[in-house]
Amino acid sequence: MTRELIGDFVDEDALTLDGFDSAIYGIAVKPCQNTVVAYDFDLLVKQCEEDGMSYDEAVEYIDFNITGAYMGNGTPIIIRKIDESDL
């Protein structure tokens, strides 16, 4: 999915992550707030690995630079699927 495809479905202040279009999951509606871009955590990791990072480096990068960043009401959300094997 690309930001062009979701552009009509998110608020104008919705932000995207440069270089991570392949990790877009869809959109998320925050109750009583706005509609933002939703990213798939595993696909973010995959993109970082394709860019030369190890798995651990990718997770640290995502946690610090993406998940830990608040950029206003348009801040994207990250979706992480939890399997029973993760418990």
Side-chain angles (χ1 to χ4, degrees):
M1 188 170 298
T2 64
R3 54 182 101 185
E4 288 79 22
L5 289 174
I6 61 170
D8 292 337
F9 299 98
V10 293
D11 292 340
E12 62 184 44
D13 65 342
L15 301 174
T16 55
L17 304 172
D18 290 337
F20 290 101
D21 282 3
S22 63
I24 294 174
Y25 183 84
I27 61 170
V29 180
K30 295 180 179 181
C32 301
Q33 291 186 24
N34 55 342
T35 305
V36 297
V37 181
Y39 287 87
D40 181 305
F41 178 84
D42 293 326
L43 293 177
L44 289 170
V45 170
K46 180 180 176 183
Q47 181 62 55
C48 287
E49 289 176 324
E50 289 174 1
D51 291 343
M53 294 182 198
S54 69
Y55 176 83
D56 290 337
E57 290 171 329
V59 170
E60 182 178 343
Y61 176 84
I62 293 163
D63 284 344
F64 185 80
N65 295 292
I66 299 174
T67 306
Y70 178 73
M71 301 169 275
N73 285 339
T75 301
I77 66 163
I78 310 304
I79 297 172
R80 187 168 190 179
K81 184 177 179 181
I82 303 296
D83 294 321
E84 286 186 26
S85 62
D86 295 323
L87 303 176

